[in-house]
C-alpha cells in the first residue's frame, strides 16, 4: 500500500532527489552569473538543454543580455537584476535569493565548458529516450491507417537523432553498452496464430509460390511449431522433394517437432485447409514481424537511456546495433511489398549503315583502277582495200 505521511512528517522528504545534471546546471548558471563573459566559451547547448523551466529561463535571459564590463559587474548588481527581470517573464517563481545561491554553488567558473558538455550529454539522452518512446507508441497504435509506414517513419526519426548524437559525441572502440537488453515480448494473438496456420496449409497446397517468398523467415512466426513447419516446407522445396502434408510431417519428425507437443494427426489437419494464396498470408505475418521488431527496438534503446552509467558514446553504438536489426526486417518487407520491375526485352532495331572505311580495300573516295579495253581499229574508207593483218614475230617490237 502507498505510504501515507503522518501529520507531523515533512512531506518534502518524500520528494525524489534531483538528478546529478540538476547540480551541473546550477554550477553552469552560477558561472555565468559570476563571470558573464564565460558564455562565449560555451557551445552546443540552448535553453531546451536544461532539465527545469527555471534553469531554461535563466539561460535564455543570460544569452539575450549583453555581458557587462567585468569591473563594473563586480561592483554593481544591475546586470543580475536585469537577468532576473527577463527570466521572470518565463518563470515567475525565480527570486534573487536563488540567483545568489547559484553563484555560491559554482565551484570554479573556468570549468563552464566542461559543465556545458555534461548538460549536452544529458540532453542527448533525453532526446534519444523521447524518440524511442514515440517509436514504441507508433508500433502499438492500431488506429493508424498505414501502421507500418508510420512506424518506419518514427524509426527514421530515431536514426536521425542517433546520427546527431554521433556527430556531437563520436563513438570509439569498446563503447558498447553493458546494460542487459530486454527479452523479446511474447504475444498470444489468436489472429496471428490463425494466419500462420493458413499460410502453412496454403503453402503446402501451392509449394511453387514458396520459392519466391525468401523474404519470410522462421523468425517472423509467433509460434515455435509454426516456425519449424515453415522451415520444413522451405527445406523440401529447396531439395526439390515432393511437398504434401505427409512429406511435411515426415520432415517435421526428423526435426524433432513431434516431440515438442505436436501430434501427427493435428499437424496433418493443420496442413489440409488451404485458403487464398501463400503471398497474402506471408505478407500478413511479415507485417506483424516488422511492428514487433520496431517495438523491441524502442524498448532496447529505452533501456539503454534509463541506465545512467551509459555514456553518449555507448548510447550511439548500442542504438545503431539495434537499428541494424530493424533494417534487416525492413528490407525484407520492402521486397515483399514492392512490385517487381517488368522485364521487357528492348525492341530490335536494324543497325545503321556504317560510313566508316572498311578494313580491306581502298577508301570510297579513291577512283577505281582503269579498265583495260581492247582497241578496235576504225572502219576503212569507202573504196579502200581492206588491210591484211600480219603476224608479228615473237620478240620483235610491235
Amino acid at each position: 500500500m502507498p505510504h501515507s505521511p503522518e501529520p507531523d512528517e515533512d512531506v518534502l522528504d518524500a520528494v525524489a532527489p534531483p538528478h546529478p545534471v540538476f547540480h551541473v546546471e546550477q554550477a553552469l548558471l552560477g558561472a555565468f552569473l559570476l563571470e558573464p563573459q564565460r558564455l562565449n566559451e560555451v557551445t552546443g547547448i540552448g535553453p531546451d538543454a536544461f532539465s527545469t523551466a527555471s534553469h531554461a529561463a535563466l539561460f535564455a535571459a543570460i544569452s539575450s543580455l549583453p555581458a557587462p564590463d567585468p569591473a563594473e559587474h563586480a561592483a554593481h548588481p544591475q546586470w543580475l537584476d536585469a537577468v532576473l527581470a527577463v527570466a521572470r517573464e518565463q518563470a515567475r517563481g525565480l527570486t534573487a535569493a536563488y540567483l545568489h545561491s547559484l553563484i555560491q554553488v559554482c565551484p570554479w567558473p573556468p570549468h563552464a565548458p566542461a559543465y556545458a558538455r555534461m548538460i549536452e550529454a544529458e540532453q542527448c539522452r533525453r532526446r534519444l529516450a523521447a524518440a524511442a518512446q514515440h517509436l514504441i507508441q507508433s508500433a502499438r497504435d492500431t488506429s493508424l491507417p498505414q501502421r507500418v509506414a508510420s512506424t518506419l517513419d518514427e524509426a527514421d526519426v530515431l536514426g536521425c537523432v542517433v546520427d546527431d548524437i554521433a556527430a556531437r559525441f563520436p563513438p570509439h572502440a569498446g563503447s558498447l553498452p553493458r546494460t542487459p537488453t530486454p527479452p523479446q515480448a511474447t504475444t498470444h494473438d489468436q489472429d496471428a496464430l490463425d494466419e500462420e496456420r493458413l499460410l502453412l496449409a496454403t503453402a503446402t497446397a501451392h509449394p511453387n509460390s514458396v520459392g519466391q517468398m525468401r523474404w519470410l523467415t522462421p523468425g517472423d512466426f509467433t509460434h515455435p511449431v509454426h516456425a519449424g513447419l515453415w522451415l520444413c516446407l522451405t527445406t523440401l522445396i529447396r531439395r526439390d522433394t515432393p511437398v504434401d502434408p505427409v512429406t511435411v510431417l515426415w520432415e517435421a519428425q526428423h526435426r524433432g517437432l513431434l516431440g515438442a507437443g505436436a501430434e501427427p494427426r493435428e499437424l496433418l489437419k493443420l496442413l489440409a485447409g488451404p485458403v487464398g494464396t501463400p503471398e497474402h498470408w506471408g505478407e500478413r505475418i511479415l507485417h506483424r514481424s516488422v511492428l514487433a521488431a520496431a517495438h523491441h527496438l524502442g524498448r532496447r534503446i529505452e533501456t539503454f537511456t534509463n541506465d545512467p552509467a551509459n555514456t553518449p558514446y555507448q548510447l550511439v553504438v548500442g542504438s545503431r546495433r539495434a537499428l541494424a536489426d530493424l533494417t534487416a526486417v525492413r528490407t525484407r518487407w520492402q521486397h515483399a511489398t514492392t512490385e517487381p520491375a517488368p522485364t521487357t526485352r528492348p525492341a530490335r532495331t536494324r543497325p545503321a549503315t556504317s560510313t566508316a572505311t572498311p578494313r580491306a580495300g581502298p577508301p570510297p573516295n579513291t577512283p577505281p583502277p582503269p579498265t583495260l579495253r581492247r582497241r578496235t581499229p576504225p572502219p576503212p574508207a569507202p573504196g579502200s582495200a581492206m588491210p591484211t593483218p600480219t603476224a608479228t614475230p615473237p620478240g620483235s617490237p610491235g
Side-chain angles (χ1 to χ4, degrees):
M1 295 180 62
H3 171 69
S4 56
E6 299 295 335
D8 56 347
E9 183 179 356
D10 191 357
V11 182
L12 295 179
D13 294 340
V15 178
H19 295 286
V21 70
F22 179 83
H23 303 284
V24 178
E25 294 173 3
Q26 286 185 325
L28 179 64
L29 294 174
F32 292 155
L33 294 175
L34 187 61
E35 300 179 6
Q37 67 275 11
R38 298 289 178 183
L39 183 63
N40 298 328
E41 303 174 1
V42 171
T43 58
I45 62 172
D48 56 344
F50 291 82
S51 60
T52 65
S54 59
H55 289 178
L58 276 175
F59 182 82
I62 294 172
S63 303
S64 63
L65 296 176
D69 180 76
E72 182 181 356
H73 178 64
H76 304 284
Q78 284 84 358
W79 187 80
L80 294 178
D81 295 337
V83 169
L84 180 60
V86 175
R88 275 180 173 174
E89 297 177 0
Q90 302 297 329
R92 297 183 179 275
L94 285 173
T95 61
Y98 186 68
L99 268 63
H100 288 287
S101 67
L102 294 178
I103 296 175
Q104 294 175 359
V105 299
C106 178
W108 194 250
H111 293 173
Y115 303 152
R117 191 67 169 166
M118 300 174 191
I119 296 173
E120 183 182 6
E122 193 63 24
Q123 182 194 18
C124 292
R125 182 190 305 274
R126 293 196 302 268
R127 290 177 56 202
L128 188 60
Q133 292 170 2
H134 290 164
L135 178 61
I136 295 173
Q137 294 172 2
S138 179
R140 288 178 175 176
D141 191 356
T142 57
S143 63
L144 295 175
Q146 299 292 334
R147 192 175 173 188
V148 170
S150 301
T151 302
L152 293 180
D153 289 343
E154 292 292 342
D156 292 338
V157 173
L158 176 61
C160 292
V161 173
V162 174
D163 293 340
D164 181 69
I165 298 175
R168 296 168 179 261
F169 298 89
H172 49 77
S175 55
L176 188 66
R178 297 173 180 161
T179 306
T181 58
Q184 185 78 32
T186 57
T187 59
H188 301 282
D189 190 350
Q190 188 60 38
D191 292 339
L193 296 177
D194 293 341
E195 291 172 355
E196 292 175 3
R197 296 190 187 101
L198 290 172
L199 169 65
L200 294 172
T202 308
T204 303
H206 307 282
N208 293 333
S209 301
V210 178
Q212 306 298 326
M213 298 173 59
R214 296 181 180 178
W215 37 263
L216 191 66
T217 64
D220 298 324
F221 290 77
T222 60
H223 198 286
V225 174
H226 297 169
L229 290 175
W230 179 254
L231 184 60
C232 294
L233 272 169
T234 55
T235 301
L236 293 176
I237 295 171
R238 186 172 62 252
R239 295 176 185 168
D240 198 15
T241 306
V243 177
D244 58 37
V246 175
T247 59
V248 175
L249 176 65
W250 190 254
E251 182 68 20
Q253 177 181 346
H254 291 167
R255 294 185 176 273
L257 295 180
L258 300 183
E263 297 183 359
R265 188 180 301 275
E266 294 179 355
L267 292 183
L268 291 175
K269 183 179 179 181
L270 184 149
L271 299 172
V275 176
T277 61
E279 293 84 357
H280 170 75
W281 301 117
E283 289 185 12
R284 293 294 304 165
I285 294 173
L286 187 56
H287 179 277
R288 297 178 185 274
S289 181
V290 172
L291 295 176
H295 182 267
H296 186 59
L297 163 65
R299 292 180 62 239
R300 287 176 63 183
I301 297 181
E302 187 180 37
T303 303
F304 293 155
T305 58
N306 290 337
D307 187 357
N310 288 326
T311 64
Y313 313 100
Q314 293 174 314
L315 294 178
V316 169
V317 175
S319 299
R320 282 181 169 174
R321 289 203 176 188
L323 283 167
D325 296 339
L326 178 62
T327 301
V329 185
R330 182 177 191 168
T331 302
R332 294 191 287 113
W333 170 256
Q334 292 174 347
H335 290 169
T337 56
T338 303
E339 293 291 337
T343 56
T344 57
R345 299 180 61 183
R348 301 183 61 181
T349 57
R350 297 182 59 184
T353 304
S354 176
T355 58
T357 303
R359 290 181 179 273
N365 295 332
T366 304
T371 303
L372 296 179
R373 297 182 180 180
R374 188 172 183 178
R375 186 175 181 181
T376 305
S384 62
M386 190 75 172
T388 302
T390 60
T392 303
S396 61

